[in-house]
Amino acid sequence: MSDRRRTREGAVRGLSEAKWGFVTRRLNEHVETREGATAGSSANAPKLGEFVVATVAALGEHEYLENPNGRRERMYPGDVIVGAWGNRYATDFYEGYLPGAGDEVHLLTSGGLIGSVASAHTSKGAPTVLEVIGPLVDADGRALSADDVAVSVSESARPELGTVVVLGSAMNAGKTTTTSAIVRGLTRAGLKVGAGKVTGSGSGNDMWSYLDAGAAEIADFVDFGMASTFGYPTDRLVSTMYGIRDHLVSKGAEAVVLEIADGILMEETRVLAAQLPVFADAVVLAVGDALGAMAGIKALAAQEVTVRAVSGLVTASPLATRELAAATGLTVLTPSDLVGGAALELLAERAADRIANLSPA
């Protein structure tokens, strides 16, 4: 019997030794579902969010798989992995989509997003190649998806002390660092903070950053049935943004801090930004330079979104920070500023009486 056939038949019998990607983490909340799941043999076309079992055919850019608990597990050719079908939009990494008939199948993210690479940043190598075994199915042979293990919808509710939303002028502008600094600053002042990632591709990096900063509750789009948000209808993304906020409030969050992925030129980000005049109590723009800030502020203003403050990678340079403040007339806050007390000022209009009695520890 060939190694490939042996691996395939072993995967169909059970998945106890498989490596599970971060995008499958909601299955941990449904232990019976996960323990009863096996690899099916359906030849149906891939669907967004559907869990899929595959073997590693050839290692490429991704040599590690991030498991649901955040540990990076080294992969080897022949390993069985469990991930989820999805698209990826990453200007600094891979552009990827659900594969068509005959397309090579790739690992799009270390978190277990699976699709077919359409383009790549020049700094990235060839993708890790996978051979699909079949969908992850339950005991009745029904294909399982992220929607099947999503959280229940919570009642609509605004947090008592307000919602802060962080956007970026582009990828790698410092959104997660900024979001985490805001979470830390509010937490140090004694607030119970909920933090969430609205869009992106399933990975634990941002979520762990929020937890490390002191977030009492966290949630992201994976909790709401999507392994990656690229390619879903925009009304689904809007409802998810509200759903994450409501979920965090239902868990007791007094203030909510949300991060929206990618840059504001991305269409899905623009659609979400249009909601911010009625959704957010403060909007913070993370940027890499002054020109990006000016363009971002102008683009958001066209959607009637007022930027309260600017932060991000640009603040690594004191000179660039002064240049940006002079060019925009806005407050420019470093992560240290946000941790040290400036985060509280973002909520001042919504919760002036409460915040007046708070000070960072």
Side-chain angles (χ1 to χ4, degrees):
M1 182 185 295
S2 69
D3 289 343
R4 177 173 294 180
R5 182 180 174 189
R6 184 178 295 110
T7 298
R8 188 182 187 90
E9 291 186 355
V12 172
R13 285 196 300 270
L15 297 171
S16 61
E17 296 183 5
K19 293 175 179 175
W20 299 70
F22 179 84
V23 295
T24 72
R25 67 179 174 81
R26 289 290 308 168
L27 284 166
N28 285 352
E29 303 292 326
H30 299 258
V31 177
E32 291 182 3
T33 298
R34 172 165 167 166
E35 290 183 349
T38 59
S41 57
S42 171
N44 293 339
K47 298 179 181 177
L48 291 177
E50 193 171 86
F51 296 123
V52 58
V53 184
T55 57
V56 178
L59 289 173
E61 182 70 32
H62 291 110
E63 297 183 346
Y64 292 84
L65 186 72
E66 181 189 15
N67 74 16
N69 299 315
R71 191 173 81 79
R72 296 170 69 241
E73 299 184 26
R74 179 178 284 279
M75 295 182 292
Y76 293 89
D79 277 354
V80 176
I81 69 169
V82 185
W85 292 118
N87 303 324
R88 186 177 187 190
Y89 183 105
T91 55
D92 66 348
F93 215 113
Y94 291 148
E95 173 193 10
Y97 300 91
L98 294 179
D103 287 346
E104 192 170 68
V105 176
H106 305 129
L107 186 61
L108 299 182
T109 70
S110 61
L113 189 68
I114 296 174
S116 184
V117 170
S119 71
H121 192 277
T122 57
S123 68
K124 303 305 177 184
T128 290
V129 180
L130 305 176
E131 180 181 348
V132 174
I133 294 172
L136 186 72
V137 299
D138 62 17
D140 296 322
R142 184 178 65 90
L144 295 167
S145 78
D147 271 326
D148 294 322
V149 291
V151 300
S152 300
V153 176
S154 301
E155 186 175 329
S156 179
R158 295 178 70 93
E160 176 188 353
L161 300 180
T163 301
V164 179
V165 176
V166 178
L167 298 167
S169 58
M171 293 192 71
N172 296 318
K175 296 184 295 294
T176 301
T177 299
T178 300
T179 302
S180 299
I182 296 171
V183 170
R184 185 62 178 171
L186 298 178
T187 300
R188 289 184 70 220
L191 303 183
K192 185 173 183 179
V193 182
K197 184 80 177 287
V198 178
T199 55
S201 299
S203 170
N205 291 338
D206 299 328
M207 305 296 280
W208 311 136
S209 294
Y210 306 158
L211 282 174
D212 290 346
E217 301 290 341
I218 59 172
D220 71 351
F221 50 87
V222 175
D223 292 305
F224 286 78
M226 294 176 281
S228 172
T229 55
F230 180 42
Y232 278 88
T234 53
D235 59 349
R236 170 82 180 261
L237 304 185
V238 171
S239 66
T240 296
M241 181 169 71
Y242 280 85
I244 291 174
R245 181 200 66 182
D246 298 344
H247 176 74
L248 293 171
V249 173
S250 75
K251 296 295 184 179
E254 299 174 288
V256 169
V257 186
L258 300 181
E259 176 184 350
I260 298 176
D262 304 302
I264 57 178
L265 291 181
M266 184 185 184
E267 180 58 27
E268 292 166 355
T269 302
R270 289 176 57 81
V271 169
L272 291 171
Q275 296 289 319
L276 298 185
V278 296
F279 178 84
D281 296 290
V283 174
V284 177
L285 180 64
V287 302
D289 55 45
L291 190 59
M294 293 177 69
I297 292 166
K298 182 178 180 180
L300 290 171
Q303 294 184 283
E304 300 183 353
V305 178
T306 299
V307 175
R308 178 73 63 81
V310 181
S311 189
L313 189 62
V314 67
T315 64
S317 166
L319 179 57
T321 298
R322 294 197 302 272
E323 179 183 75
L324 174 54
T328 64
L330 290 176
T331 301
V332 182
L333 301 171
T334 68
S336 294
D337 293 333
L338 291 165
V339 171
L344 283 171
E345 297 175 10
L346 297 173
L347 299 177
E349 290 184 9
R350 178 78 189 274
D353 293 340
R354 171 76 181 277
I355 290 172
N357 298 318
L358 295 173
S359 62

